[in-house]
Amino acid sequence: GCLFFFFKQKTAYEILSGLVGSEMCIRDRKYCGRKFPQNPEEQLYMTIESLYKSWRSPTTTAYLRMNDYTHILGTGLTVQKMVYGKYNDKSGSGVIFTRNPLTGEKGLYGEYLMGTELGQLMGGSVTPKRIENLKITLPNVYDQLEKYGKQLEEHFKDVQHIQFAIENGSLFLLHCKNAKLSPEAAVKTTVDLVNEKTITKRESLSLIHI
């Protein structure tokens, strides 16, 4: 679908008045076959419409079928203020696992970088720091990551892969999913989760894929 943007305080014309923005606007108009909308409310509703159209696309249908998600009846959309991690020197982004995905060792494993958007971090255009360094720079945020990571493990009954952002010293969890683990890590974490009474022995059988 087309790219549309919602701006609360400025119109799209004002935001896209720079060279790069103008080029993007022209490119979108050619792609979409229509003029870029200037009304923020119209931009928002067209974004929502675009999302639901994408749900019915051949690519999405094929992905759902390949991953055995055909039982999912629909999708949802949340509209909210975004946090990018570049607000000030107390802002950043990162990606963590609640346990080491290679060895299964308990404890946060991952990386982060201050003053960086998540897309930059995951795209490899910057050099991140080990998550342990966050204990020094923002210990409260690190403690929150440990706390929420544990809660998510208990809720989903599996090791979690979490994406997060920090804005002005406040933590925002952006996304989480069950982590992909090495065979060694999968066995160790399954045994540990049973011993920690997070899952039962019967539930543990579904976590081991041979």
Side-chain angles (χ1 to χ4, degrees):
C2 310
L3 294 177
F4 295 101
F5 301 86
F6 174 60
F7 303 104
K8 183 176 180 181
Q9 297 178 329
K10 294 186 178 181
T11 66
Y13 178 80
E14 291 172 320
I15 297 292
L16 299 178
S17 58
L19 177 60
V20 175
S22 297
E23 291 177 350
M24 181 170 60
C25 185
I26 293 171
R27 187 163 62 247
D28 284 346
R29 183 166 65 246
K30 288 181 179 179
Y31 180 74
C32 301
R34 59 160 295 173
K35 185 178 179 180
F36 191 93
Q38 302 304 307
N39 185 306
E41 185 173 341
E42 182 182 2
Q43 296 169 20
L44 175 61
Y45 283 112
M46 293 188 74
T47 301
I48 296 172
E49 182 183 10
S50 179
L51 174 87
Y52 285 114
K53 284 183 177 179
S54 71
W55 177 259
R56 297 187 293 271
S57 70
T59 301
T60 302
T61 301
Y63 175 83
L64 294 173
R65 188 181 301 112
M66 287 174 57
N67 291 276
D68 197 26
Y69 293 149
T70 52
H71 61 285
I72 298 178
L73 300 179
T75 187
L77 172 67
T78 300
V79 179
Q80 65 185 57
K81 179 181 177 181
M82 293 299 297
V83 177
Y84 293 103
K86 300 182 72 172
Y87 184 73
N88 56 23
D89 60 359
K90 290 185 178 181
S91 303
S93 62
V95 179
I96 59 166
F97 295 84
T98 50
R99 300 175 193 238
N100 191 309
L102 301 177
T103 66
E105 181 182 356
K106 187 175 182 179
L108 299 185
Y109 178 93
E111 53 194 23
Y112 79 102
L113 192 62
M114 304 306 289
T116 304
E117 293 182 24
L118 188 62
Q120 293 175 290
L121 187 71
M122 299 181 68
S125 60
V126 294
T127 302
K129 295 183 178 180
R130 293 171 59 89
I131 194 64
E132 291 81 1
N133 292 328
L134 195 60
K135 290 182 182 179
I136 301 172
T137 55
L138 290 171
N140 290 340
V141 171
Y142 186 89
D143 291 344
Q144 286 181 315
L145 281 171
E146 284 192 318
K147 174 185 175 182
Y148 296 139
K150 184 175 185 299
Q151 290 178 351
L152 289 169
E153 272 196 353
E154 292 174 349
H155 177 77
F156 290 108
K157 301 182 182 296
D158 203 347
V159 180
Q160 293 300 295
H161 179 191
I162 302 171
Q163 299 174 0
F164 68 91
I166 306 166
E167 181 166 301
N168 198 28
S170 296
L171 174 66
F172 294 82
L173 300 185
L174 305 179
H175 177 71
C176 75
K177 62 181 179 180
N178 293 344
K180 293 184 178 180
L181 309 174
S182 70
E184 175 187 350
V187 172
K188 175 174 172 47
T189 57
T190 300
V191 172
D192 288 346
L193 289 172
V194 170
N195 291 335
E196 294 165 14
K197 302 188 184 305
T198 300
I199 59 174
T200 65
K201 290 183 179 180
R202 180 180 295 274
E203 289 173 328
S204 71
L205 299 177
S206 64
L207 299 182
I208 303 295
H209 303 283
I210 301 178

